[in-house]
Each structure stands twice: as structure tokens, then as C-alpha cells.
Amino acid sequence: MVDVQHWLSALPPGVVYLIVAGVIGVESMGVPLPGELVLVSSALLAATGVVQPEWVAVAAAAGAIAGDSIGYAVGRRGGRPLLERLGRRFPRHLGPAHLARAEQSFARYGAWAVFFGRFVALLRILAGPLAGALRVPYRRFLLANAAGGLVWAFGTTYLLFTVGRAAEHWLKDISWAGLVIAILAGLGSTWWLRRRAHRLASAETADDEPVRAGGD
């Protein structure tokens, strides 16, 4: 994740937003890409001021909603054979076992599997194509798709942005004096524990000597 964040930091903000939308959009179409990793890296990057969190969230939500909708259309046209072909091409991510679990989720939650699936790696990839292949009504799909995309994108972005800003502020407040004190305290406690352990070991050895002498 650090490498992704470092790579994104070298790009103009507009390009970062396009990458966020593009990667998440393609992932939502049914292609296994690290969409969440890109979002997390971009949100943490926003905490440093390189990009704006609101635009990261907007890009992620737009990519998620558009990608899921395209995946729905492709799945509705290609049906289950399309999902099986994807499974053969990406067996580690979309194999028969993954497809079966995704179908169970749809059987249990219906269109709202799209909403909940936005927070689960497997369903995030399969939700759109699978909803189309199972002929879920598009209006119900779009409602769940938009709700899930917005909550996931804005919630993840602002949660990580807030955590990142708090961590950065906390690290800036640590002075060199505090760091030296912490190091000395650590060394002192280590020395004390070692000395304590040595004394206990010496005491146990002294207690054992009379017993041995009596036995002789």
C-alpha cells in the first residue's frame, strides 16, 4: 500500500481522481483489480494535503456506480456463461466456489446484496454482473448500487482521512525531548527487569544449596 501511495503522490491530483474512478469502475465491472487498495491509498494521501478528500470520494462513488451498472448490463446480456468464463480466466478470484457464495448472498438478500457487497471484496467484483445475469430488476439494482457506492466511497474516504490527519498531528507533537525520555525509560525498565530476574535466579540457587547438601 505504501508503494501505491508513493506512486500516486507523484501524479497531479486530477490524474489521481481519474485513476481512483477508473480502477474502481473496472473492478466493479467484474475484473479483479485492487480498487479498495487504491481508495485507501488515495484517502491517506488526502490526509497529507496532496489531494482533496471530497474529490477522492466523488471519484470512487462515480466509478463504483458506473462500473456496477456496466457490469449489470454485461451480465444481463451474457448471463451465467459469462460468469463461468470469467471464473475460468480468474480462478483465484472468481472460481466456482466464489460464484456459488455470491449466488447464495443474492438468494438471501436479493438486490440489497449489491449494497452489502460493496463492503465485501468478492461481491464488490461480482455484484453487477451477477445481478444482471440473475435478471434483478434494474431500478432495484440501481437504488442498492447507488446507496452502497456512496456510503462505501464517502465513508471509507473520510474515515481514513480523519485517522490520517489525527496520526499526522500526533506525530508532529512529539518533541525530541519526549523521544529521548521515552528511549531512556525503555532502557531503564529493561535494565531493572534484567536485574530483578538475576536476583530471583540467585535467590532460587541459594535456596537449593541446603537441600543438595542435606541430600549428600
Side-chain angles (χ1 to χ4, degrees), residues 18-109:
L18 290 176
I19 290 175
V20 171
V23 173
I24 292 174
V26 174
E27 180 192 43
S28 301
M29 294 179 197
V31 180
L33 289 181
E36 190 167 44
L37 177 60
V38 171
L39 176 58
V40 169
S41 300
S42 301
L44 292 176
L45 197 62
T48 66
V50 176
V51 293
Q52 298 300 316
E54 61 270 22
W55 287 111
V56 171
V58 167
I65 296 170
D68 269 343
S69 296
I70 295 173
Y72 175 93
V74 172
R76 190 174 182 88
R77 184 179 181 86
R80 187 180 178 87
L82 171 66
L83 299 176
E84 293 174 349
R85 286 198 298 273
L86 286 173
R88 288 192 295 269
R89 186 165 184 176
F90 306 105
R92 294 182 58 187
H93 300 89
L94 305 175
H98 301 93
L99 181 58
R101 288 200 299 270
E103 287 182 321
Q104 290 174 0
S105 298
F106 267 85
R108 182 174 183 179
Y109 299 110

Side-chain angles (χ1 to χ4, degrees), residues 58 65 77 88-89 95 118 140 155 161 174 186 189 199 203:
V58 167
I65 296 170
R77 184 179 181 86
R88 288 192 295 269
R89 186 165 184 176
R118 181 47 59 183
R140 293 173 57 194
F161 172 75
I174 296 179
S189 61
R199 286 182 176 178

Side-chain angles (χ1 to χ4, degrees), residues 21-31 59-77 82-83 106 111-133 136-138 140-153:
V23 173
I24 292 174
V26 174
E27 180 192 43
S28 301
M29 294 179 197
V31 180
I65 296 170
D68 269 343
S69 296
I70 295 173
Y72 175 93
V74 172
R76 190 174 182 88
R77 184 179 181 86
L82 171 66
L83 299 176
F106 267 85
W112 286 103
V114 179
F115 178 89
F116 296 116
R118 181 47 59 183
F119 303 88
V120 181
L122 171 63
L123 283 177
R124 187 163 54 247
I125 300 172
L126 280 176
L130 190 57
V136 174
Y138 182 70
R140 293 173 57 194
F141 165 80
L142 181 59
L143 175 62
N145 175 31
L150 289 169
V151 172
W152 174 74

